[in-house]
Amino acid sequence: MAATDAHPRLDAASKAAGESIYVADIELPNMAHAAVARSGYAHALIRSIDTSAAEQMPGVVGVFRASDLAAGLYGRAVRDIPVLAAEKVRFVGEPVVAVVAETRVQAEQAAALVEIDYEELPAATTATAAVASGAPLVHDAPWEYPGAFVKPEEGHNLQSLNTVGDKETVEAALAASAFVVDEVYRTQTQHQGYLEPHACIASWQEGRLHVWLASKSPYPLKGQICACLGIEPDQLVIEPITLGADFGGKGSPMDAPLCSELSRLTGRPVKLVLRYTEDLTATDSRHPSIFRVRMGADAEGHLTAVAYDVLLDGGAYGGYKPSPHVVVHGAVEPGCYRIPNFYVECRTAYTHTVPKGHMRSPGEPQQLFATESAMDELALKVGIDPVEMRKRNILVTGDTDAGGRQWLEYRSTETLNAALAAMEDHSHEVPEGWLFGRGIAAYGRTSVSFGSTTICLIPLPGERLRAEVSYVETGTGSHTMVRELIGRELDYSPDEIEVVQVSTDRLAYDFGAGGSRVTTVASYAIDAAVKAWRGRLSDEAVEVTIDESAAPPVGAFIIQIAEVAVDPVTGQLKVLEIISAVDVAEIINDKAHQMQIDGGVVMGYGYACLEDLMEDDGHVWASTLGEYKLPTSHDAPHLRTVLVPGGRGHGTANVKGIGESLTPPVAAAIANAVADATGTRVRRLPLTSEAIFDALAGTVS
Amino acid sequence: MIPAQFDYVRATSAEHALQLLGEHGDDAKLLAGGHSLLPMMKLRLAMPSVLIDIAGLPDLSGVRRDGDDVVIGALTKHGELAASEILEREAPLVAHAAGLVGDPQIRHRGTIGGSLAHADPAADLPSALLASDGWLELQGPEGTRRVAVDDFFTGYFETVLQPDELVVAIGTPRRMGAGWGYEKFTRRANDWGIVTVATVGGRVALGNMGPTSLRARATEQALARGASIPDAAELAAEGTEPVTDLHADGEYRSHLARVLTRRALTRAAG
């Protein structure tokens, strides 16, 4: 077993005791509070705005609209998001007017009195509707935004068109295949479900702007805010914060440009903390998707060709995605099988709905639900077992994937066998009259190490050491991991090491949490810092900046088996157990590692069975945590993990990322188990009792 | 969202609460456990200008026997109902349903009087008390009156309770050893029922199958005629108009009502 003795998380006690100071808890002298009046229309012209009643309210410092701001547009890759809507609104929940007041409640009460006169316009509230010719335009010329990827000729209302592979060869191969599956799979909108809603404080002090944002990537944030406000990098400092979880949703500037402008306009620090309803209805949830999958096999069940025609609903703005291709990259990944002919055409649509952004393993839960369901459907056509179907096609060492990449090793067989052994190890009690089923899903994830990071080791009196890092502890244990590795290498006990995130003024750079890069990149940085520390001539601090983008191509397989029971009378689904076999190298802290596994599976279970923002007609209807169904501990299935040690990881620490590995295959494993139990395929998430009942009744496919 | 502005008054006795209700009329709401009212206020579905806190009133809490009935103080909390030995022996349907309300935190704060006065058709206790042939004691300026649960609910979140009245007690016939059944169909463990079915003594009550908790009269009549449980249960949704909402289609609700009624009756007969 690769695991080491797990020391407690360094942030656990203060978080559990309620002592951690989050952005919402920070108080600055003379600070004012903001609230936002938001659009009630999916698409409308703003005819007039009357702020007189709001301005008369007690405690109001100022009421501001787009024309009061000097800021431009903001965004992570494409800059298409206005800080406040100017001539028109493009989604229900879009900020239009901001109120600054002495207290949060005063600001909210005044914001409720802002009167905005709209002229409602026809709206395109689904991706399918939006890309049809003649649909109302969300943006007149999206290709003109800075950082735009889409070109005018590529289609109607597109944030991007991404293609991989060659269409003609795939069409020919599909036509020549002995068996072909051609099905459409649909997924819903999922919210990240973090405990802490988006929160920001901005403060202009003596010509410099200080920002405290619930953000996972301070350095990219700095560039994004500078671009939006037209200020120089040395005018801006991003302050360290405690983050109440991220799950991918906290990578954008969000409310920082607005708070910055409100601070400039009022001459005071300004805080904005979203209510959870605002967070559910007006931030940056996971993209809903429509995947048409065509998958061909020869007579023996070997894949011949795979084609995806993907339509993602990107919402009203594309700026919440960091990819320069303005796509959630997981949607266009080639997967973990030998595919001789591969083609993806992925359109990300602008719609008059809440913008969509990144969430844990962006694009992959959607793609895995589609492709791993299709693998089972193809196995059925070929007439072989789903496990056998995967054995015949999964990448093994020496193979190259359909995107032309090759890992140093593919530990697919070991991982698959470990999952199967765990499955055979036990049985479940199934309620009388219920149907039992098992489903499998496979996922191969490249373990990346990209983008630079900086770390500084400082000697402290009393044989203690302080590690300053440039990345945020997002709740994953990423600061504890630093303490663990340094302690091990330099022979310090955990209580002799403190690990702190410092401001962007203090250290050079970090790319931010994302792509499960933090453990891998930080382990390289710590390795370099430890070498520098050992080579010092005096008792001085050492600081290293590394960029290991050329790290070796390694990855990990996840094989999941879901075991379910279905009540055929009501369609009720009980997920009895999810077995996860995880291909690992060395593990730095086994508790933190296991928490990433368990949390990842439960998040996938929520996506599969419960969570849905219920977008319809331009509205998010699941606008409270009563309606948005996050799984509780009572709902979560039994989880079983089988670690498959001995893999090749990154650096001398020999590690692989884990944070995003477990979520993507869950929904497909459960859907495949439901199909195994009932003989009926459900091709739409979430797998509610009613959806299963309808499928059993034959009313929908 | 946050609630609209309101004043807060703490009542020192039932009479004081009634006096405050008389002063403020429709603008006032009684606050007991707050687990239905406060969420409604946060969503601005309720905007009382005065909250009269009755949570601390003495003598309105607890479970006792009174002749042929079990009498429950209106401020008795769901958790206390679920743990009551008297209810466990003599009205186990009520104890069981109370134990399924929300989660432990809600059961620790929410009260039976509040749940019935709130009259959410999806809640557990209204249907349990309706099936139990229970009653409520309402106190007003002119004295107290007793209303059968059958006559209490008038519409979606509406009851015969007058703005100047207070629920002081809830009663249910003692039914030692009577067969009972309760079925609750939810998305998540701690959710409201998409449909619930409660049955005891030949009465069948449906939750979330219309604007109020309601009796499955066709089923009851069929049972009284001697129909088999499956045949009687097939009639459970007759005369109901369940809504289609975020959680379920109306037709699916009707199907669930039939299935759950069969299961509840089978459990009661077993």
Side-chain angles (χ1 to χ4, degrees):
Chain A
M1 176 57 58
T4 56
D5 294 339
H7 296 114
R9 287 263 300 269
L10 59 84
D11 52 342
S14 66
K15 282 178 176 168
E19 290 164 357
S20 295
I21 302 298
Y22 297 91
V23 174
D25 302 318
I26 296 172
E27 296 293 336
L28 298 181
N30 199 32
M31 187 167 72
H33 298 261
V36 176
R38 298 174 181 276
S39 168
Y41 292 93
H43 190 203
L45 290 173
I46 299 170
R47 275 205 292 237
S48 65
I49 297 173
D50 181 353
T51 60
S52 53
E55 283 161 9
Q56 300 305 312
M57 288 293 284
V60 169
V61 176
V63 183
F64 304 98
R65 63 188 75 186
S67 57
D68 296 318
L69 309 182
L73 302 169
Y74 74 89
R76 299 177 73 178
V78 59
R79 279 165 45 208
D80 62 354
I81 311 168
V83 177
L84 292 173
E87 287 94 31
K88 60 159 63 175
V89 290
R90 296 185 177 89
F91 71 95
V92 175
E94 178 160 17
V96 182
V97 172
V99 176
V100 180
E102 297 297 336
T103 71
R104 182 188 193 186
V105 168
Q106 286 173 334
E108 288 176 328
Q109 287 177 334
L113 297 181
V114 172
E115 288 190 22
I116 306 166
D117 183 27
Y118 295 101
E119 179 184 333
E120 191 173 5
L121 298 172
T125 57
T126 67
T128 305
V131 300
S133 61
L137 285 174
V138 183
H139 298 269
D140 292 338
W143 42 87
E144 290 177 0
Y145 289 118
F149 182 70
V150 73
K151 295 174 187 63
E153 65 276 13
E154 287 177 335
H156 199 68
N157 274 331
L158 288 190
Q159 295 183 1
S160 64
L161 169 65
N162 284 271
T163 60
V164 178
D166 181 65
K167 189 171 189 247
E168 281 181 25
T169 57
V170 163
E171 295 294 347
L174 284 170
S177 297
F179 302 99
V180 175
V181 161
D182 181 356
E183 296 291 354
V184 176
Y185 305 85
R186 291 178 167 83
T187 66
Q188 77 283 31
T189 321
Q190 184 185 27
H191 186 267
Q192 292 84 357
Y194 31 64
L195 281 174
E196 177 204 32
H198 283 280
C200 183
I201 300 171
S203 177
W204 276 100
Q205 298 163 12
E206 296 164 8
R208 292 195 87 200
L209 173 62
H210 297 256
V211 169
W212 293 257
L213 181 72
S215 162
K216 63 166 186 169
S217 50
Y219 292 84
L221 171 68
K222 189 176 169 182
Q224 291 151 8
I225 293 176
C226 285
C228 174
L229 301 184
I231 61 176
E232 296 302 316
D234 61 6
Q235 290 178 278
L236 177 59
V237 53
I238 309 297
E239 300 287 352
I241 50 104
T242 300
L243 196 66
D246 155 45
F247 303 118
K250 291 178 178 163
S252 81
M254 200 51 76
D255 296 313
L258 176 61
C259 287
S260 301
E261 281 293 87
L262 296 177
S263 174
R264 183 180 64 79
L265 289 163
T266 60
R268 299 173 62 171
V270 173
K271 179 195 276 188
L272 174 57
V273 180
L274 297 191
R275 299 287 175 184
Y276 216 98
T277 289
E278 294 178 289
D279 212 301
L280 287 169
T281 57
T283 61
D284 61 342
S285 291
R286 193 188 287 288
H287 289 60
S289 73
I290 303 171
F291 264 79
R292 180 185 176 202
V293 179
R294 289 180 297 155
M295 195 178 265
D298 66 17
E300 283 78 43
H302 298 108
L303 290 174
T304 52
V306 175
Y308 306 146
D309 184 354
V310 188
L311 182 58
L312 300 171
D313 181 345
Y317 299 104
Y320 293 101
K321 288 181 276 287
S323 162
H325 294 175
V326 193
V327 67
V328 280
H329 46 78
V332 297
E333 288 288 318
C336 64
Y337 299 110
R338 270 187 307 280
I339 305 170
N341 301 285
F342 180 69
Y343 180 68
V344 185
E345 185 172 304
C346 178
R347 290 172 295 164
T348 305
Y350 275 116
T351 63
H352 290 111
T353 68
V354 60
K356 308 305 185 302
H358 264 200
M359 179 171 174
R360 200 176 202 168
S361 216
E364 266 148 339
Q366 297 96 315
Q367 196 224 43
L368 267 284
F369 172 63
T371 59
E372 286 298 287
S373 295
M375 276 296 276
D376 266 35
E377 299 208 61
L378 187 55
L380 193 66
K381 287 201 171 189
V382 174
I384 61 175
D385 184 82
V387 172
E388 182 58 31
M389 184 74 193
R390 286 170 177 81
K391 282 183 175 169
R392 288 183 192 179
N393 290 286
I394 204 158
L395 294 166
V396 297
T397 301
D399 282 340
T400 301
D401 77 14
R405 293 173 305 193
Q406 191 180 60
W407 296 348
L408 293 180
E409 57 178 5
Y410 289 93
R411 304 174 74 236
S412 50
T413 306
E414 300 93 311
T415 312
L416 186 60
N417 288 342
L420 294 172
M423 181 188 82
E424 280 155 15
D425 195 31
H426 71 296
S427 61
H428 291 283
E429 276 189 30
V430 178
E432 194 186 332
W434 290 50
L435 306 168
F436 176 78
R438 283 187 176 122
I440 190 168
Y443 177 42
R445 183 181 176 88
T446 301
S447 187
V448 296
S449 176
F450 64 89
S452 78
T453 197
T454 308
I455 186 168
C456 180
L457 305 185
I458 302 168
L460 297 180
E463 294 297 305
R464 289 167 50 78
L465 184 152
R466 173 187 173 95
E468 293 184 344
V469 297
S470 47
Y471 61 82
V472 180
E473 167 60 84
T474 57
T476 57
S478 62
H479 285 185
T480 304
M481 173 267 293
V482 173
R483 186 178 68 175
E484 202 86 37
L485 282 181
I486 292 173
R488 207 183 291 168
E489 292 299 318
L490 296 178
D491 200 23
Y492 282 84
S493 68
D495 56 7
E496 292 169 333
I497 303 174
E498 57 185 68
V499 183
V500 290
Q501 182 210 348
V502 291
S503 84
T504 53
D505 269 1
R506 178 65 196 86
L507 292 177
Y509 191 76
D510 179 73
F511 182 85
S516 302
R517 68 176 280 278
V518 171
T519 300
T520 55
V521 174
S523 72
Y524 283 115
I526 291 162
D527 194 34
V530 162
K531 286 196 177 85
W533 180 271
R534 288 190 180 123
R536 309 175 297 166
L537 299 173
S538 63
D539 192 26
E540 63 198 8
V542 300
E543 182 173 319
V544 298
T545 296
I546 59 106
D547 186 340
E548 295 292 337
S549 297
V554 299
F557 277 91
I558 310 297
I559 305 291
Q560 280 174 341
I561 295 173
E563 299 182 305
V564 308
V566 178
D567 176 2
V569 180
T570 62
Q572 192 169 12
L573 167 65
K574 284 187 206 288
V575 180
L576 304 168
E577 181 158 47
I578 297 175
I579 297 165
S580 300
V582 186
D583 163 13
V584 297
E586 296 293 325
I587 295 167
I588 298 169
N589 181 307
D590 59 1
K591 279 185 193 152
H593 189 262
Q594 187 65 45
M595 284 168 73
Q596 288 301 306
I597 292 172
D598 294 346
V601 178
V602 173
M603 190 170 259
Y605 165 76
Y607 186 56
C609 298
L610 293 173
E611 296 175 42
D612 187 352
L613 279 176
M614 301 210 180
E615 286 198 81
D616 188 32
D617 200 23
H619 289 263
V620 168
W621 294 107
S623 61
T624 69
L625 287 175
E627 303 292 2
Y628 186 72
K629 307 286 183 193
L630 290 168
T632 71
S633 55
H634 283 287
D635 302 302
H638 189 252
L639 307 180
R640 199 138 58 104
T641 306
V642 189
L643 299 179
V644 186
R648 168 83 190 269
H650 284 283
T652 51
N654 190 30
V655 291
K656 300 182 188 185
I658 188 69
E660 296 172 280
S661 302
L662 276 294
T663 307
V666 179
I670 294 173
N672 287 341
V674 169
D676 181 49
T678 65
T680 304
R681 173 66 53 178
V682 183
R683 301 188 183 90
R684 184 191 291 266
L685 295 182
L687 300 164
T688 63
S689 302
E690 188 172 353
I692 295 169
F693 176 79
D694 286 346
L696 288 170
T699 56
V700 295
S701 63
Chain B
M1 247 194 302
I2 54 165
Q5 205 151 16
F6 59 88
D7 290 328
Y8 170 89
V9 198
R10 180 175 298 219
T12 53
S13 65
E15 290 67 31
H16 184 212
L18 289 171
Q19 181 203 326
L20 290 166
L21 277 178
E23 285 169 22
H24 298 285
D26 268 351
D27 295 336
K29 273 279 186 189
L30 295 172
L31 174 70
H35 274 52
S36 298
L37 179 59
L38 297 185
M40 299 274 280
M41 288 171 64
K42 285 186 177 179
L43 293 169
R44 306 231 173 169
L45 297 172
M47 289 192 277
S49 54
V50 182
L51 279 190
I52 302 166
D53 187 349
I54 57 169
L57 294 190
D59 309 327
L60 288 186
S61 196
V63 179
R64 62 187 168 84
R65 295 185 186 87
D66 184 5
D68 293 335
D69 286 348
V70 178
V71 178
I72 304 163
L75 291 178
T76 311
K77 297 180 174 74
H78 308 320
E80 294 166 346
L81 301 176
S84 160
E85 285 181 22
I86 295 174
L87 287 177
E88 184 60 43
R89 285 163 55 86
E90 304 186 6
L93 168 60
V94 176
H96 179 79
L100 295 178
V101 177
D103 53 39
Q105 287 147 300
I106 290 170
R107 295 196 289 274
H108 193 64
R109 297 286 301 179
T111 66
I112 183 171
S115 176
L116 293 181
H118 185 58
D120 186 336
D124 295 281
L125 288 171
S127 297
L129 268 301
L130 182 60
S132 303
D133 199 10
W135 48 264
L136 300 94
E137 187 174 297
L138 313 180
Q139 189 173 343
E142 312 300 320
T144 62
R145 60 180 178 133
R146 183 181 279 209
V147 178
V149 175
D150 264 324
D151 302 324
F152 185 67
F153 303 113
T154 55
Y156 194 56
F157 295 101
E158 286 179 345
T159 70
V160 299
L161 188 69
Q162 295 302 301
D164 58 358
E165 283 184 311
L166 173 71
V167 180
V168 290
I170 293 90
T172 176
R174 297 168 64 184
R175 296 176 190 273
M176 184 112 78
W180 59 277
Y182 189 75
E183 293 288 329
K184 180 177 184 179
F185 198 87
T186 61
R187 290 282 298 281
R188 289 182 304 183
N190 59 351
D191 279 337
W192 278 282
I194 291 172
V195 173
T196 62
V197 177
T199 184
V200 63
R203 290 168 63 102
V204 179
L206 308 174
N208 222 2
M209 283 296 289
T212 67
S213 290
L214 41 88
R215 303 262 300 276
R217 302 244 178 220
T219 295
E220 291 179 359
Q221 286 157 9
L223 289 171
R225 286 194 309 268
S228 70
I229 286 175
D231 289 350
E234 273 306 299
L235 306 172
E238 273 200 12
T240 66
E241 290 178 1
V243 295
T244 292
D245 62 14
L246 290 183
H247 309 296
D249 187 88
E251 280 186 33
Y252 182 59
R253 282 202 160 91
S254 294
H255 171 73
L256 289 178
R258 291 187 284 269
V259 173
L260 300 184
T261 296
R262 175 164 51 77
R263 290 177 180 174
L265 289 171
T266 304
R267 161 91 172 67

